[in-house]
Amino acid sequence: MRFAVTVEVTGLEGISDPEGQTIERVLPSLGFAGIEQVRVGKLVSFELAAAGEEEARRVAEELCHRLLANPVMEKASVRLAPVRENA
């Protein structure tokens, strides 16, 4: 089976987010009021071949732990969706 994998990596609560702070500071000058607590992260998407959803999740989470996210500063959430094979 093939799975579409989406990984969202965001900073842990309490970890400084300079990019988010910069965006938040600029928003009022662009006419946007009332927006607070801006956080910036990254989104990684890919397709993965695996025997089933459990294996796909295990591989994706290991990839997050070893490459995509720094667990000291970031958290990663994984979403999976089966990819339909073209008939």
Coordinates of all heavy atoms in Angstrom, one line a residue:
M1 N 0.8 -1.2 0.0 CA 0.0 0.0 0.0 C 0.9 1.2 0.0 O 2.0 1.2 0.5 CB -0.9 0.0 1.3 CG -1.9 -1.1 1.4 SD -2.9 -0.9 2.9 CE -3.9 0.5 2.5
R2 N 0.3 2.3 -0.5 CA 1.0 3.6 -0.5 C 0.2 4.5 0.4 O -1.1 4.5 0.4 CB 1.2 4.2 -1.9 CG 2.1 3.3 -2.7 CD 2.6 4.1 -4.0 NE 3.5 5.2 -3.7 CZ 4.7 5.1 -3.3 NH1 5.3 4.0 -3.1 NH2 5.4 6.2 -3.2
F3 N 0.9 5.4 1.1 CA 0.2 6.3 2.0 C 0.8 7.7 1.7 O 2.0 7.9 1.5 CB 0.5 6.0 3.4 CG -0.1 4.7 3.9 CD1 0.5 3.5 3.7 CD2 -1.4 4.8 4.4 CE1 -0.1 2.3 4.1 CE2 -2.0 3.6 4.8 CZ -1.4 2.4 4.7
A4 N -0.1 8.7 1.7 CA 0.3 10.1 1.6 C 0.5 10.5 3.1 O -0.4 10.3 3.9 CB -0.8 11.0 1.0
V5 N 1.7 11.0 3.3 CA 2.1 11.4 4.7 C 2.2 12.9 4.8 O 2.9 13.5 3.9 CB 3.4 10.7 5.1 CG1 3.7 11.0 6.6 CG2 3.3 9.2 4.9
T6 N 1.7 13.5 5.8 CA 1.8 14.9 6.1 C 2.4 15.0 7.5 O 1.8 14.5 8.4 CB 0.5 15.7 5.9 OG1 0.0 15.4 4.6 CG2 0.7 17.1 6.1
V7 N 3.5 15.7 7.6 CA 4.1 15.9 8.9 C 4.1 17.4 9.2 O 4.6 18.2 8.4 CB 5.6 15.4 9.0 CG1 6.2 15.6 10.3 CG2 5.6 13.9 8.6
E8 N 3.6 17.8 10.3 CA 3.6 19.2 10.8 C 4.5 19.3 11.9 O 4.4 18.6 12.9 CB 2.2 19.6 11.2 CG 2.1 21.1 11.5 CD 0.7 21.5 11.9 OE1 -0.3 20.7 11.8 OE2 0.5 22.6 12.4
V9 N 5.5 20.1 11.8 CA 6.5 20.3 12.8 C 6.4 21.7 13.4 O 6.4 22.7 12.6 CB 8.0 20.1 12.3 CG1 9.0 20.3 13.4 CG2 8.1 18.8 11.7
T10 N 6.2 21.8 14.7 CA 6.0 23.1 15.4 C 6.9 23.1 16.6 O 7.2 22.1 17.2 CB 4.6 23.4 15.8 OG1 4.1 22.3 16.6 CG2 3.7 23.5 14.5
G11 N 7.2 24.4 17.0 CA 8.0 24.5 18.2 C 7.2 24.1 19.5 O 6.0 24.3 19.5
L12 N 7.9 23.6 20.5 CA 7.3 23.3 21.7 C 6.9 24.6 22.4 O 7.5 25.6 22.3 CB 8.3 22.5 22.6 CG 8.6 21.1 22.2 CD1 9.7 20.5 23.0 CD2 7.4 20.2 22.2
E13 N 5.8 24.5 23.3 CA 5.4 25.6 24.1 C 6.6 26.0 24.9 O 7.3 25.2 25.5 CB 4.2 25.3 24.9 CG 3.0 25.0 24.2 CD 2.5 26.3 23.4 OE1 2.6 27.4 24.0 OE2 2.0 26.2 22.3
G14 N 6.8 27.3 25.1 CA 7.9 27.9 25.9 C 9.2 28.1 25.1 O 10.1 28.7 25.7
I15 N 9.3 27.5 23.9 CA 10.5 27.7 23.1 C 10.3 29.0 22.3 O 9.2 29.2 21.6 CB 10.7 26.5 22.2 CG1 10.9 25.2 23.0 CG2 11.9 26.8 21.2 CD1 12.2 25.2 23.8
S16 N 11.2 29.9 22.2 CA 11.2 31.1 21.5 C 10.9 30.8 20.0 O 11.5 29.9 19.4 CB 12.5 31.9 21.7 OG 12.4 33.1 20.9
D17 N 10.1 31.6 19.4 CA 9.8 31.5 17.9 C 10.1 32.9 17.3 O 9.1 33.7 17.1 CB 8.4 31.1 17.7 CG 8.0 30.9 16.3 OD1 8.8 31.2 15.4 OD2 6.9 30.3 16.0
P18 N 11.3 33.3 17.0 CA 11.6 34.6 16.5 C 10.9 34.9 15.2 O 10.4 36.1 15.0 CB 13.1 34.5 16.2 CG 13.6 33.4 17.0 CD 12.5 32.4 17.2
E19 N 10.7 33.9 14.3 CA 10.0 34.2 13.1 C 8.5 34.6 13.3 O 7.9 35.5 12.8 CB 10.1 33.0 12.1 CG 9.6 33.3 10.7 CD 9.9 32.2 9.8 OE1 10.4 31.1 10.2 OE2 9.5 32.3 8.6
G20 N 7.9 33.8 14.2 CA 6.5 34.1 14.6 C 6.4 35.4 15.3 O 5.4 36.2 15.0
Q21 N 7.3 35.8 16.1 CA 7.3 37.1 16.8 C 7.5 38.2 15.8 O 6.8 39.3 15.9 CB 8.4 37.2 17.8 CG 8.2 36.2 19.0 CD 9.5 36.1 19.9 OE1 10.6 36.5 19.5 NE2 9.3 35.4 21.0
T22 N 8.3 38.1 14.8 CA 8.5 39.1 13.8 C 7.2 39.3 13.0 O 6.7 40.4 12.8 CB 9.6 38.7 12.8 OG1 10.8 38.6 13.6 CG2 9.8 39.7 11.7
I23 N 6.5 38.2 12.6 CA 5.3 38.3 11.9 C 4.2 39.0 12.8 O 3.5 39.9 12.3 CB 4.8 36.9 11.5 CG1 5.7 36.3 10.4 CG2 3.3 36.9 11.0 CD1 5.5 34.8 10.1
E24 N 4.2 38.6 14.0 CA 3.2 39.2 14.9 C 3.4 40.7 15.1 O 2.5 41.5 15.1 CB 3.2 38.5 16.3 CG 2.1 38.9 17.2 CD 2.1 38.1 18.5 OE1 2.4 36.9 18.4 OE2 1.7 38.7 19.5
R25 N 4.7 41.1 15.1 CA 5.0 42.6 15.3 C 4.6 43.4 14.1 O 4.2 44.5 14.2 CB 6.5 42.7 15.5 CG 6.9 43.2 16.9 CD 8.4 43.6 17.0 NE 9.3 42.9 16.2 CZ 9.9 41.7 16.4 NH1 9.7 41.1 17.6 NH2 10.8 41.2 15.6
V26 N 4.7 42.8 12.9 CA 4.4 43.5 11.6 C 2.9 43.6 11.3 O 2.4 44.5 10.6 CB 5.1 42.8 10.4 CG1 4.7 43.4 9.1 CG2 6.6 43.0 10.6
L27 N 2.1 42.6 11.8 CA 0.7 42.5 11.5 C -0.1 43.9 11.6 O -0.8 44.2 10.7 CB 0.0 41.4 12.2 CG 0.4 40.0 11.8 CD1 -0.1 39.0 12.8 CD2 0.0 39.7 10.4
P28 N 0.0 44.6 12.8 CA -0.7 45.8 12.9 C -0.4 46.8 11.8 O -1.3 47.5 11.3 CB -0.3 46.4 14.3 CG 0.1 45.1 15.0 CD 0.8 44.2 14.0
S29 N 0.8 46.9 11.4 CA 1.2 47.9 10.3 C 0.6 47.5 9.0 O 0.5 48.3 8.1 CB 2.7 48.1 10.2 OG 3.3 46.9 9.7
L30 N 0.2 46.3 8.8 CA -0.5 45.8 7.6 C -2.0 45.8 7.7 O -2.7 45.4 6.8 CB 0.0 44.4 7.3 CG 1.4 44.2 7.0 CD1 1.8 42.7 6.8 CD2 1.8 45.0 5.7
G31 N -2.5 46.4 8.9 CA -3.9 46.5 9.0 C -4.6 45.3 9.7 O -5.9 45.2 9.7
F32 N -3.8 44.4 10.2 CA -4.4 43.2 10.9 C -4.3 43.4 12.4 O -3.2 43.4 13.0 CB -3.7 41.9 10.5 CG -3.8 41.6 9.1 CD1 -2.8 41.9 8.2 CD2 -4.9 40.9 8.6 CE1 -2.9 41.6 6.8 CE2 -5.1 40.6 7.2 CZ -4.1 41.0 6.3
A33 N -5.5 43.5 13.1 CA -5.5 43.7 14.5 C -6.0 42.4 15.2 O -6.7 41.6 14.6 CB -6.4 44.9 14.8
G34 N -5.6 42.3 16.5 CA -6.2 41.2 17.3 C -5.6 39.8 17.0 O -6.1 38.8 17.5
I35 N -4.5 39.8 16.3 CA -3.8 38.5 16.0 C -2.7 38.3 17.0 O -1.8 39.2 17.0 CB -3.4 38.3 14.6 CG1 -4.6 38.4 13.6 CG2 -2.6 37.0 14.4 CD1 -4.2 38.5 12.2
E36 N -2.7 37.2 17.8 CA -1.6 37.0 18.8 C -1.1 35.6 18.8 O -1.8 34.7 18.2 CB -2.2 37.3 20.2 CG -2.7 38.8 20.4 CD -3.3 39.0 21.7 OE1 -3.7 38.0 22.4 OE2 -3.5 40.2 22.1
Q37 N -0.1 35.4 19.4 CA 0.5 34.0 19.6 C 0.8 33.4 18.3 O 0.5 32.2 18.1 CB -0.4 33.1 20.4 CG -0.7 33.7 21.8 CD 0.5 33.8 22.7 OE1 1.4 33.0 22.7 NE2 0.6 35.0 23.3
V38 N 1.4 34.1 17.4 CA 1.8 33.6 16.1 C 3.0 32.6 16.2 O 4.0 32.9 16.8 CB 2.2 34.7 15.1 CG1 2.7 34.1 13.7 CG2 1.0 35.7 14.9
R39 N 2.8 31.4 15.7 CA 3.8 30.4 15.7 C 4.1 30.0 14.3 O 3.2 29.8 13.5 CB 3.4 29.2 16.5 CG 3.0 29.5 18.0 CD 4.1 29.8 18.9 NE 4.9 28.6 19.1 CZ 6.0 28.7 19.9 NH1 6.4 29.8 20.4 NH2 6.7 27.6 20.0
V40 N 5.4 29.8 13.9 CA 5.7 29.3 12.6 C 6.3 27.9 12.7 O 7.1 27.6 13.6 CB 6.7 30.3 11.9 CG1 7.2 29.8 10.6 CG2 6.1 31.7 11.8
G41 N 5.9 27.1 11.8 CA 6.5 25.7 11.7 C 6.8 25.3 10.3 O 6.9 26.2 9.4
K42 N 6.8 24.0 10.1 CA 7.1 23.5 8.7 C 6.2 22.4 8.4 O 5.8 21.6 9.3 CB 8.5 23.2 8.5 CG 9.1 22.1 9.4 CD 10.6 21.9 9.2 CE 11.1 21.0 10.3 NZ 12.6 20.9 10.2
L43 N 5.9 22.2 7.2 CA 5.0 21.1 6.7 C 5.8 20.3 5.7 O 6.4 20.8 4.8 CB 3.8 21.7 6.1 CG 2.7 20.7 5.6 CD1 2.0 20.1 6.8 CD2 1.7 21.3 4.7
V44 N 5.9 19.0 5.9 CA 6.6 18.1 5.1 C 5.6 17.0 4.6 O 4.9 16.4 5.4 CB 7.8 17.4 5.8 CG1 8.6 16.5 4.9 CG2 8.7 18.4 6.4
S45 N 5.6 16.8 3.3 CA 4.7 15.8 2.7 C 5.4 14.9 1.8 O 6.3 15.3 1.1 CB 3.5 16.4 2.0 OG 3.9 17.2 0.9
F46 N 5.0 13.6 1.8 CA 5.7 12.6 1.0 C 4.8 11.4 0.9 O 3.8 11.3 1.6 CB 7.1 12.2 1.5 CG 7.1 11.8 2.9 CD1 7.0 10.4 3.3 CD2 7.2 12.7 4.0 CE1 7.0 10.0 4.6 CE2 7.2 12.3 5.3 CZ 7.1 10.9 5.6
E47 N 5.1 10.5 0.0 CA 4.4 9.2 -0.1 C 5.3 8.2 0.4 O 6.5 8.2 0.2 CB 3.9 9.0 -1.6 CG 2.8 9.8 -2.0 CD 2.2 9.4 -3.3 OE1 2.5 8.3 -3.8 OE2 1.3 10.1 -3.8
L48 N 4.7 7.1 1.0 CA 5.4 6.1 1.6 C 4.8 4.7 1.3 O 3.6 4.6 1.4 CB 5.4 6.3 3.1 CG 5.9 5.2 4.1 CD1 7.4 5.0 3.9 CD2 5.6 5.6 5.5
A49 N 5.6 3.8 0.9 CA 5.1 2.4 0.6 C 5.3 1.6 1.9 O 6.4 1.6 2.5 CB 5.8 1.8 -0.5
A50 N 4.2 0.9 2.4 CA 4.3 0.1 3.6 C 3.2 -1.0 3.5 O 2.3 -0.9 2.7 CB 4.0 1.0 4.8
A51 N 3.4 -2.0 4.3 CA 2.5 -3.1 4.3 C 1.1 -2.7 4.8 O 0.1 -3.3 4.5 CB 3.0 -4.3 5.2
G52 N 1.0 -1.7 5.7 CA -0.2 -1.3 6.3 C -0.1 0.0 7.0 O 1.0 0.6 7.1
E53 N -1.2 0.5 7.6 CA -1.1 1.9 8.2 C -0.2 1.9 9.4 O 0.5 2.8 9.7 CB -2.5 2.3 8.6 CG -2.6 3.7 9.2 CD -4.0 4.2 9.4 OE1 -4.9 3.6 8.8 OE2 -4.1 5.1 10.3
E54 N -0.2 0.8 10.2 CA 0.6 0.7 11.4 C 2.1 0.9 11.0 O 2.9 1.6 11.7 CB 0.4 -0.6 12.2 CG 1.1 -0.7 13.5 CD 0.7 -1.9 14.3 OE1 -0.5 -2.2 14.4 OE2 1.7 -2.6 14.7
E55 N 2.5 0.1 10.0 CA 3.9 0.2 9.6 C 4.2 1.6 9.0 O 5.3 2.2 9.3 CB 4.3 -0.8 8.5 CG 5.7 -0.8 8.0 CD 6.0 -1.7 6.9 OE1 5.2 -2.7 6.6 OE2 7.0 -1.5 6.2
A56 N 3.3 2.2 8.2 CA 3.5 3.5 7.7 C 3.7 4.5 8.8 O 4.6 5.4 8.7 CB 2.4 3.9 6.7
R57 N 2.9 4.5 9.8 CA 3.0 5.4 10.9 C 4.3 5.2 11.7 O 5.0 6.2 12.0 CB 1.8 5.2 11.9 CG 1.8 6.3 13.0 CD 0.5 6.3 13.8 NE -0.6 6.6 12.9 CZ -1.0 7.8 12.5 NH1 -0.2 8.9 12.8 NH2 -2.0 8.0 11.8
R58 N 4.7 4.0 11.9 CA 6.0 3.7 12.6 C 7.1 4.3 11.8 O 8.0 5.0 12.4 CB 6.2 2.2 12.8 CG 7.4 1.9 13.5 CD 7.7 0.4 13.6 NE 7.7 -0.3 12.3 CZ 8.7 -0.2 11.4 NH1 9.8 0.5 11.7 NH2 8.7 -0.8 10.3
V59 N 7.2 4.1 10.5 CA 8.3 4.6 9.7 C 8.2 6.1 9.7 O 9.3 6.8 9.8 CB 8.2 4.0 8.2 CG1 9.2 4.8 7.3 CG2 8.5 2.5 8.2
A60 N 7.1 6.7 9.5 CA 7.0 8.2 9.4 C 7.4 8.8 10.8 O 8.1 9.8 10.8 CB 5.5 8.6 9.1
E61 N 7.0 8.2 11.9 CA 7.4 8.7 13.2 C 8.9 8.6 13.5 O 9.5 9.5 14.1 CB 6.5 8.1 14.3 CG 5.1 8.6 14.2 CD 4.2 8.0 15.3 OE1 4.6 7.0 16.0 OE2 3.0 8.4 15.3
E62 N 9.4 7.5 13.0 CA 10.9 7.3 13.1 C 11.6 8.4 12.3 O 12.6 8.9 12.7 CB 11.3 5.9 12.7 CG 12.8 5.7 12.9 CD 13.3 4.3 12.5 OE1 12.4 3.4 12.3 OE2 14.5 4.1 12.4
L63 N 11.1 8.7 11.1 CA 11.7 9.7 10.3 C 11.7 11.0 10.9 O 12.6 11.8 10.9 CB 11.0 9.7 8.9 CG 11.5 10.8 7.9 CD1 12.9 10.6 7.5 CD2 10.6 10.7 6.7
C64 N 10.5 11.3 11.6 CA 10.4 12.6 12.3 C 11.5 12.7 13.4 O 12.1 13.7 13.6 CB 9.0 12.7 13.0 SG 7.7 13.0 11.8
H65 N 11.6 11.6 14.2 CA 12.5 11.6 15.3 C 13.9 11.7 14.9 O 14.7 12.4 15.5 CB 12.3 10.3 16.1 CG 13.2 10.1 17.3 ND1 13.0 10.9 18.4 CD2 14.3 9.4 17.5 CE1 14.0 10.6 19.3 NE2 14.8 9.7 18.7
R66 N 14.3 11.0 13.8 CA 15.7 11.0 13.4 C 16.1 12.2 12.4 O 17.3 12.5 12.4 CB 16.0 9.7 12.7 CG 15.9 8.5 13.6 CD 16.2 7.2 13.0 NE 17.5 7.2 12.5 CZ 18.0 6.2 11.7 NH1 17.2 5.2 11.3 NH2 19.2 6.2 11.2
L67 N 15.1 12.8 11.8 CA 15.5 13.8 10.8 C 14.7 15.1 10.8 O 15.2 16.2 10.7 CB 15.5 13.2 9.4 CG 15.8 14.1 8.2 CD1 17.3 14.5 8.2 CD2 15.5 13.4 6.9
L68 N 13.4 14.9 10.8 CA 12.5 16.1 10.5 C 12.3 17.0 11.7 O 12.0 18.2 11.5 CB 11.1 15.6 10.0 CG 11.2 14.8 8.7 CD1 9.8 14.3 8.3 CD2 11.8 15.6 7.6
A69 N 12.4 16.5 12.9 CA 12.1 17.4 14.1 C 13.2 17.1 15.1 O 13.7 16.0 15.3 CB 10.7 17.1 14.6
N70 N 13.5 18.2 15.8 CA 14.4 18.1 17.0 C 13.5 18.0 18.2 O 12.9 19.0 18.6 CB 15.3 19.4 17.0 CG 16.2 19.4 18.3 OD1 16.0 18.6 19.2 ND2 17.1 20.4 18.3
P71 N 13.5 16.8 18.8 CA 12.5 16.6 19.9 C 12.8 17.4 21.2 O 11.9 17.6 22.0 CB 12.7 15.1 20.2 CG 14.0 14.7 19.7 CD 14.3 15.6 18.5
V72 N 14.0 18.1 21.2 CA 14.3 18.9 22.4 C 13.5 20.3 22.2 O 13.1 20.9 23.2 CB 15.8 19.2 22.4 CG1 16.1 20.3 23.5 CG2 16.5 17.9 22.7
M73 N 13.3 20.7 20.9 CA 12.7 22.0 20.7 C 11.4 21.9 19.9 O 10.7 22.9 19.9 CB 13.7 22.9 19.9 CG 15.0 23.1 20.6 SD 16.2 23.9 19.6 CE 15.3 25.3 18.9
E74 N 11.1 20.8 19.3 CA 9.9 20.7 18.4 C 9.1 19.5 18.6 O 9.6 18.5 19.2 CB 10.4 20.7 16.9 CG 11.2 21.9 16.5 CD 11.9 21.7 15.1 OE1 12.5 20.6 14.9 OE2 11.8 22.6 14.3
K75 N 7.8 19.6 18.2 CA 7.0 18.4 18.2 C 6.5 18.2 16.8 O 6.4 19.1 16.0 CB 5.8 18.6 19.1 CG 4.9 19.7 18.7 CD 3.8 19.9 19.7 CE 2.9 21.1 19.4 NZ 1.9 21.4 20.3
A76 N 6.2 16.9 16.4 CA 5.8 16.6 15.1 C 4.5 15.8 15.2 O 4.3 14.9 16.0 CB 6.9 15.8 14.4
S77 N 3.6 16.1 14.3 CA 2.3 15.4 14.2 C 2.3 14.8 12.8 O 2.6 15.4 11.8 CB 1.1 16.2 14.5 OG 1.0 17.2 13.6
V78 N 1.9 13.5 12.7 CA 1.8 12.7 11.5 C 0.4 12.5 11.1 O -0.4 12.0 11.9 CB 2.6 11.4 11.6 CG1 2.5 10.6 10.4 CG2 4.1 11.7 12.0
R79 N 0.1 12.7 9.8 CA -1.3 12.4 9.3 C -1.0 11.4 8.1 O -0.1 11.7 7.3 CB -2.0 13.6 8.8 CG -2.5 14.4 10.0 CD -3.5 15.5 9.5 NE -2.9 16.3 8.4 CZ -2.5 17.5 8.5 NH1 -2.4 18.1 9.6 NH2 -2.0 18.1 7.4
L80 N -1.8 10.4 8.0 CA -1.7 9.4 6.9 C -3.0 9.3 6.2 O -4.0 9.4 6.8 CB -1.4 8.0 7.5 CG -0.1 7.8 8.3 CD1 -0.1 6.4 8.8 CD2 1.1 8.0 7.4
A81 N -2.9 9.1 4.9 CA -4.1 8.8 4.1 C -3.7 7.8 3.0 O -2.6 8.0 2.3 CB -4.6 10.1 3.4
P82 N -4.4 6.8 2.8 CA -4.1 5.8 1.8 C -4.2 6.5 0.4 O -5.0 7.4 0.2 CB -5.2 4.8 1.9 CG -5.9 5.0 3.2 CD -5.6 6.4 3.6
V83 N -3.3 6.1 -0.5 CA -3.2 6.6 -1.8 C -3.9 5.6 -2.7 O -3.6 4.4 -2.7 CB -1.8 6.9 -2.3 CG1 -1.7 7.3 -3.8 CG2 -1.1 7.9 -1.4
R84 N -4.9 6.1 -3.5 CA -5.6 5.2 -4.4 C -4.7 4.9 -5.6 O -4.2 5.8 -6.2 CB -6.9 5.8 -4.9 CG -7.9 5.8 -3.8 CD -9.2 6.3 -4.4 NE -10.3 6.2 -3.4 CZ -11.5 6.4 -3.7 NH1 -11.9 6.6 -4.9 NH2 -12.4 6.3 -2.7
E85 N -4.6 3.6 -5.9 CA -3.8 3.2 -7.1 C -4.7 3.5 -8.3 O -5.9 3.2 -8.3 CB -3.4 1.8 -7.0 CG -2.6 1.4 -5.8 CD -1.2 2.1 -5.8 OE1 -0.7 2.3 -6.9 OE2 -0.7 2.4 -4.7
N86 N -4.1 4.0 -9.3 CA -4.9 4.2 -10.6 C -5.2 2.8 -11.2 O -4.3 2.0 -11.4 CB -4.1 5.0 -11.6 CG -4.0 6.5 -11.1 OD1 -4.8 6.9 -10.3 ND2 -3.0 7.2 -11.5
A87 N -6.4 2.6 -11.6 CA -6.8 1.3 -12.2 C -6.5 1.3 -13.7 O -6.4 2.3 -14.4 CB -8.3 1.1 -11.9

